[in-house]
Amino acid sequence: MARIKKARRTGIKQDMTPMVDVAFLLLTFFMLTTQFRPPELTPVNLPSATAERKLPDKDIMTVTVGAKGDVYLGVDAQPTRDRIFNNYIARRLGEAGMGAAAVEDSARKFRLAEGFFIGDGSDMQRLATNLETMIIQARLAEPRLRPVIKADVSTDYQYIKLIMDIFRKTNMPTFNLITSLEALPKSQN
Amino acid sequence: MGGIAAPEPQSSRKKGKKKRKRIGFNLDMTPMVDVAFLLLTFFMLTTTFAKPNTMEVNLPSKDMTEVKVAESNVLTIRVTEGDKAYWNIGFDEPKPFELYDKSGEKPTISNAFREILKTESEKIRQRVGEDVMAIVLKFDKKAQYRNLVDVLDELNILRFRRFSIADYTEQDAEEIKKVSSIQPAQPVQP
C-alpha cells in the first residue's frame, strides 16, 4: 500500500538580530546627518514653466519677492555673507549707534540667514535705493555672483520691473527666474 | 505508486517511535544584510539634491544700441491688471484678446494667443520674405509676475527669439483706456 506522504510542515526559525541592527544603523545615520531647512523668508508660490535649465550650483544671489511685494536679498555662500556684513552693514549699524556686542550678534545671525529684508511696496523709492545699494555691495563682495529672481505667481509686475531695471543698471543683464517644472503642452508643431 | 515504499530513516519500523523528528529550517541571513548595506552605501554616496528649475532671461545691456525695426514688423503685446491682454501691429489700435484659457483646473495660455503669434508672424514672413517679426512686451505695473513668466515661456516653446521687454508708459495706458472704453469685451478674431 502506498503511503501517502503528507507535506511536512517545518517551522522556520530566523534570528532577527541583523535586521534590527540594520534598522538602528539607518536610524542613527539619519539622526546624525539630517539638517533642517532654514525657515522660509516668505511663502513663495513659484510659477510653472517648461524651462528646464537648472539653477547653477554656487555663487547665486537670490532676490526673493513675496506675493505682497516684500523683497529680500540673499547670497548662498557664508563667506560672501560675512564680507557683505563686514564691508557695509557693520559700518551702517555702527553709525546707527549699535554697540559692538549687538553688531557681533547681528553678524552671526546674518551669516546663517538665507536672506534679509530690503523693503516693500510701502516705500518704493527706498526699496529701489536700498536694493541697488545691497546688490552693488554683494557684487563687490563676490564678483562672480549670478542674479536669480524667486518671486510668487501673484507678485505685482512693478517689483519685478524694478529688480530687472536694477540688474540692468548694475551690469547684470543675464539672470534666471526660478520656476517649477511644467510639462510641454501636448499639441506642438 | 508501487507497493514498495523506499525505506526511510524514520520509518515506522522502529517500535513505538511514531513522532517524526522535526528539522529546523536555518536560513543564513548574512547575504541579505550585505545587500542591504550595499544598497545603503550606494545611495548615500550617489544621491544629489533636486535643483530648482529656472528660466534664463537675457536683457540687452545698457550700452547696447537700439536696433531699428520697421514698425510694420513689430507685434506689441500689452498685459494689464486682471490678465487683460491687447495686441497690435506697428501703430495700429490695440485689440483685446484672452491671454489665458481658464477652463481647466489651472489657467494655461490660450490658443488665441498662439494663433495671433503664428498668424501675424506668417503674414510678415510672406510680406518680407524672411522671418523678421519682432515682439515687444509691455506689462502694466499691476500685471502679475505670472503673466511675464507665462508669456516668456510661450515664446520659448514657439521658438520666437526676437522679443524685448519695454516700459509700459502713460501713452500705453492712454491707448488701452481708449480701447477698453469703446469695446468693452469683444475679442477680435485675428
Side-chain angles (χ1 to χ4, degrees):
Chain A
M1 265 128 217
R3 231 196 321 250
I4 302 169
K5 290 193 198 156
K6 245 198 194 142
R8 211 184 308 173
R9 273 224 191 127
T10 51
I12 300 182
K13 280 199 206 130
Q14 271 180 25
D15 190 7
M16 290 287 276
T17 318
M19 196 188 272
V20 178
D21 282 346
V22 169
F24 273 120
L25 273 161
L26 278 174
L27 179 65
T28 312
F29 170 73
F30 284 114
M31 267 167 59
L32 294 176
T33 59
T34 298
Q35 290 171 342
F36 287 107
R37 202 160 43 136
E40 242 178 7
L41 290 165
T42 174
V44 171
N45 192 6
L46 292 172
S48 64
T50 59
E52 278 181 355
R53 185 88 45 110
K54 296 290 179 200
L55 193 64
D57 267 337
K58 57 193 186 76
D59 301 329
I60 304 172
M61 168 173 68
T62 309
V63 181
T64 309
V65 191
K68 303 216 176 33
D70 38 338
V71 179
Y72 305 80
L73 180 70
V75 293
D76 58 340
Q78 287 193 10
T80 314
R81 291 180 199 157
D82 274 340
R83 280 199 290 272
I84 298 177
F85 191 89
N86 293 332
N87 292 349
Y88 181 73
I89 301 186
R91 194 167 22 103
R92 292 301 299 273
L93 288 177
E95 281 165 15
M98 216 190 234
V103 172
E104 245 326 288
D105 194 45
S106 290
R108 228 173 305 128
K109 281 208 207 87
F110 190 79
R111 190 179 311 137
L112 299 174
E114 210 179 283
F116 56 97
F117 183 66
I118 301 274
D120 64 6
S122 57
D123 191 344
M124 288 297 280
Q125 257 312 82
R126 218 172 83 173
L127 168 62
T129 34
N130 283 356
L131 187 59
E132 187 172 346
T133 314
M134 292 316 301
I135 288 183
I136 292 177
Q137 285 300 322
R139 269 203 109 204
L140 285 174
E142 173 62 80
R144 286 181 306 207
L145 276 181
R146 274 181 273 212
V148 162
I149 298 182
K150 178 176 173 186
D152 188 273
V153 266
S154 42
T155 320
D156 283 347
Y157 179 72
Q158 57 176 334
Y159 299 102
I160 312 296
K161 175 170 159 40
L162 176 67
I163 298 172
M164 294 204 295
D165 285 343
I166 294 181
F167 282 166
R168 206 193 312 209
K169 229 202 281 185
T170 54
N171 221 3
M172 291 190 291
T174 302
F175 54 90
N176 292 31
L177 307 172
I178 297 194
T179 57
S180 66
L181 193 55
E182 167 188 290
L184 276 169
K186 293 188 195 75
S187 55
Q188 285 302 305
N189 61 334
Chain B
M1 267 203 299
I4 305 171
E8 291 166 12
Q10 300 102 319
S11 74
S12 45
R13 264 227 207 146
K14 290 243 172 89
K15 288 202 187 73
K17 202 141 188 220
K18 292 283 168 75
K19 248 197 183 137
R20 302 250 160 90
K21 192 163 87 180
R22 274 229 182 124
I23 304 178
F25 210 84
N26 282 325
L27 180 63
D28 191 7
M29 289 284 277
T30 318
M32 192 191 270
V33 178
D34 281 347
V35 168
F37 271 122
L38 274 163
L39 278 175
L40 178 66
T41 314
F42 172 74
F43 284 114
M44 266 165 61
L45 295 176
T46 60
T47 299
T48 54
F49 286 105
K51 290 196 209 127
N53 291 297
T54 63
M55 182 194 278
E56 200 171 88
V57 177
N58 286 310
L59 297 176
S61 66
K62 58 184 195 280
D63 12 272
M64 246 200 213
T65 53
E66 283 184 0
V67 180
K68 300 275 183 238
V69 183
E71 67 181 76
S72 52
N73 294 344
V74 174
L75 171 70
T76 306
I77 308 269
R78 295 185 177 88
V79 182
T80 61
E81 194 175 355
D83 297 341
K84 292 210 203 8
Y86 305 83
W87 70 278
N88 66 289
I89 291 274
F91 293 124
D92 294 345
E93 203 176 78
K95 299 172 258 298
F97 70 94
E98 280 299 316
L99 186 58
Y100 288 108
D101 171 23
K102 298 205 170 56
S103 58
E105 35 162 277
K106 217 170 71 107
T108 54
I109 290 279
S110 66
N111 275 322
F113 184 45
R114 295 196 191 110
E115 282 308 313
I116 294 172
L117 288 173
K118 288 192 206 146
T119 322
E120 295 305 316
S121 132
E122 194 50 43
K123 275 198 237 168
I124 290 175
R125 188 198 328 213
Q126 284 183 356
R127 183 161 45 85
V128 179
E130 33 176 333
D131 202 1
V132 290
M133 182 168 86
I135 303 177
V136 172
L137 301 171
K138 296 187 179 182
F139 295 90
D140 187 16
K141 287 206 318 233
K142 289 285 174 197
Q144 291 187 346
Y145 176 55
R146 176 167 64 109
N147 301 130
L148 172 72
V149 173
D150 287 337
V151 169
L152 287 182
D153 198 29
E154 199 58 37
L155 293 180
N156 196 24
I157 293 175
L158 296 174
R159 303 218 187 298
F160 284 106
R161 302 217 188 280
R162 213 172 284 115
F163 66 89
S164 67
I165 305 176
D167 292 342
Y168 191 91
T169 59
E170 290 293 321
Q171 214 179 351
D172 292 302
E174 285 299 315
E175 290 199 35
I176 296 298
K177 220 189 314 191
K178 257 193 288 175
V179 172
S180 52
S181 58
I182 297 174
Q183 288 181 349
Q186 280 177 26
V188 177
Q189 303 307 328

